[in-house]
Amino acid sequence: MESDAVWRADAVALADRISALLTVVRSAEAEIGALLAEIESRGVMELFGYRSVGRLFEHLADVPKVAAETVVKRARALNSGRLLDGSPVPAVALATGAAASGGRLSNPMIDSIVGVLQQVPVEHRDRVEHDLLSFAEDAGHKQVAALGARIVAHLDPDGAEPDEAEPATPSRELSLRRRRTGVWELTGRFDDETGARASALLDSLAERRRVDDGPDFRSPQERYGDAFSDAIDLALNSPDLPMQAGERAHVMVAVSLEDLKSGVGQATLGDTGRISAAEARIHACDCQIIPAVLGGKGEPLDLGRLRRLVSPGLRRALYLRDRGCAFPGCHRPPRHCQGHHIRHWADGGPTELGNLVLMCGHHHRLLHRSGWQVRIAADGLPEFLPPVFLDKRRKPRRNNLHEPLPFAA
């Protein structure tokens, strides 16, 4: 019995310590939110060169973009701010922000209260916020959210007024992603008109084919899959297809000369895909072949000329070397990127591989206006030096998310 009492006492002490630490963490998070709101009021572009507080916090805290934007959104709701012209922006839940600074509220509790207040008419917010905070002292965030829903229903029993305007066209959504197995998954939602046109196109391309060795035994899913592939070929061959990065839309296949000759080995397809060298040989019968000599570490030779605009050949060399946006942590593939002059053309910087780095539009702009710097390291690959406010030592960083060429040494 005595040991059981000691264990229970230890359990209470452990729980108390966790509660104390949670108070410290929550208080610190509230202070971070207040600082982010202050930075936004002063102008994040002027202070740090970033286009938004969310982007700045994403790098400061090393968190995903969605997490950073959630923190900033919560900070705006709890803290008063100012627009760049000086006009005040009142907080949605000022009293909740004060309670949060004392470490009394969890983030789900804060979000529940803010979510309710955003649905409540402004003249009722102070009273509703007081009631929710009082209830929150002895209840969890789910109970507070349930109470808030009842309050909203009481204040507005009829709900939102029906929209008298013409219904908006449903949004068109499409998601295409590649799994590690090399299989691509396509999901989407379309309005009725787009769906009908897509169905008519695929129906015409998915007709059963008569072949010499017998009937077409493909399943409906297989026929429509082949029809989708045929539709892509038709679109890529269209003369009206928009240019991308100065060139017609295309897929780059990288393969070593030895593998291309022998048909044994692998080739890199696009940004992350893989096909066999034998398949690459098949495609090489009907494509433009552009040779590029690679060094021992996979770095291509300088294929460009001294000119301001990056030539198609030099752009391909950048694709082979950087494999996408070279900025640390960026997933953007090569087709979404631009060639950035490390030493600006106006300052005498040449347009050659040793003075160029592949970057997406966002990070290209960030590099031009913030404390980030880029250089080509001794091994011929780009590396980035962070601003002092991110790392006082300015230790070089690289992007290790893009896969190297499979045949590079």
Side-chain angles (χ1 to χ4, degrees):
M1 291 295 293
E2 183 176 352
S3 62
D4 184 62
V6 172
W7 183 89
R8 289 182 182 276
D10 289 342
V12 172
L14 290 170
D16 287 345
R17 182 56 179 160
I18 290 175
S19 297
L21 290 174
L22 283 173
T23 300
V24 174
V25 170
R26 291 167 178 171
S27 177
E29 288 178 339
E31 184 175 355
I32 288 173
L35 291 172
L36 292 175
E38 178 65 21
I39 289 173
E40 191 165 54
S41 295
R42 294 189 186 186
V44 65
M45 179 72 74
E46 290 75 12
L47 288 174
F48 296 97
Y50 279 65
R51 69 180 180 184
S52 70
V53 178
R55 288 291 190 180
L56 172 66
F57 188 65
E58 183 183 343
H59 283 161
L60 284 173
D62 189 26
V63 294
K65 178 183 177 182
V66 174
E69 290 176 345
T70 300
V71 171
V72 173
K73 180 181 177 181
R74 188 179 298 123
R76 292 189 186 119
L78 301 185
N79 299 276
S80 300
R82 294 184 303 276
L83 298 177
L84 293 180
D85 62 2
S87 358
V89 179
V92 175
L94 196 59
T96 304
S101 65
R104 294 162 42 199
L105 303 177
S106 67
N107 286 333
M109 179 70 79
I110 294 170
D111 295 341
S112 296
I113 295 174
V114 170
V116 172
L117 295 181
Q118 288 174 333
Q119 302 177 64
V120 170
V122 176
E123 61 270 19
H124 296 293
R125 279 186 180 176
D126 290 344
R127 180 60 186 173
V128 171
E129 185 177 18
H130 176 270
D131 292 343
L132 292 177
L133 287 173
S134 300
F135 188 60
E137 294 178 359
D138 301 309
H141 66 92
K142 292 183 179 179
Q143 295 166 290
V144 170
L147 173 62
R150 291 198 296 271
I151 292 174
V152 171
H154 175 73
L155 293 175
D156 187 14
D158 296 328
E161 294 183 5
D163 188 3
E164 299 292 341
E166 288 291 328
T169 302
S171 60
R172 298 166 183 170
E173 302 173 358
L174 187 67
S175 173
L176 180 64
R177 64 172 185 152
R178 179 184 184 273
R179 291 188 169 275
R180 292 183 178 181
T181 57
V183 175
W184 291 73
E185 291 186 347
L186 177 72
T187 57
R189 299 175 61 193
F190 301 99
D191 59 274
D192 203 13
E193 179 189 352
T194 303
R197 287 190 287 126
S199 178
L201 172 64
L202 294 178
D203 281 347
S204 65
L205 295 174
E207 291 287 341
R208 292 193 179 275
R209 305 169 186 165
R210 299 295 301 179
V211 291
D212 294 339
D213 56 352
D216 187 350
F217 291 109
R218 291 176 300 162
S219 68
Q221 291 80 9
E222 290 171 334
R223 288 191 289 111
Y224 274 86
D226 290 340
F228 184 75
S229 178
D230 293 341
I232 292 175
D233 286 339
L234 289 173
L236 286 174
N237 291 327
S238 170
D240 298 325
L241 190 68
M243 303 289 281
Q244 190 177 54
E247 298 183 277
R248 285 180 54 81
H250 63 278
V251 176
M252 178 181 288
V253 177
V255 61
S256 68
L257 180 60
E258 291 77 11
D259 290 349
L260 185 62
K261 289 180 177 179
S262 66
V264 178
Q266 278 197 327
T268 300
L269 175 67
D271 309 320
T272 57
R274 294 282 189 270
I275 60 173
S276 68
E279 291 175 292
R281 283 175 59 87
I282 295 174
H283 292 298
C285 294
D286 187 25
C287 73
Q288 185 179 15
I289 299 177
I290 301 168
V293 180
L294 298 165
K297 296 183 180 297
E299 70 278 8
L301 296 181
D302 183 2
L303 303 181
R305 294 183 297 169
L306 292 178
R307 48 188 292 186
R308 181 176 67 84
L309 297 177
V310 180
S311 67
L314 186 51
R315 186 179 301 279
R316 293 186 183 96
L318 280 171
Y319 284 11
L320 291 171
R321 186 193 70 189
D322 295 346
R323 310 292 298 140
C325 178
F327 194 87
C330 185
H331 293 265
R332 288 281 186 174
R335 62 179 176 273
H336 294 167
C337 298
Q338 309 159 352
H340 165 73
H341 284 76
I342 297 174
R343 183 184 178 195
H344 201 280
W345 172 265
D347 297 329
T351 303
E352 61 186 25
L353 196 60
N355 191 49
L356 291 169
V357 61
L358 205 59
M359 301 188 71
C360 69
H362 163 65
H363 288 122
H364 195 174
R365 292 188 295 272
L366 178 65
L367 196 70
H368 274 288
R369 67 181 181 227
S370 72
W372 282 92
Q373 292 180 322
V374 61
R375 67 189 183 191
I376 300 297
D379 60 1
L381 300 177
E383 61 183 17
F384 291 77
L385 306 177
V388 176
F389 62 81
L390 287 179
D391 182 0
K392 290 183 172 57
R393 299 174 300 165
R394 304 201 73 193
K395 184 179 179 181
R397 304 182 185 183
R398 291 188 176 185
N399 191 341
N400 58 1
L401 298 181
H402 302 300
E403 296 184 16
L405 293 173
F407 47 80

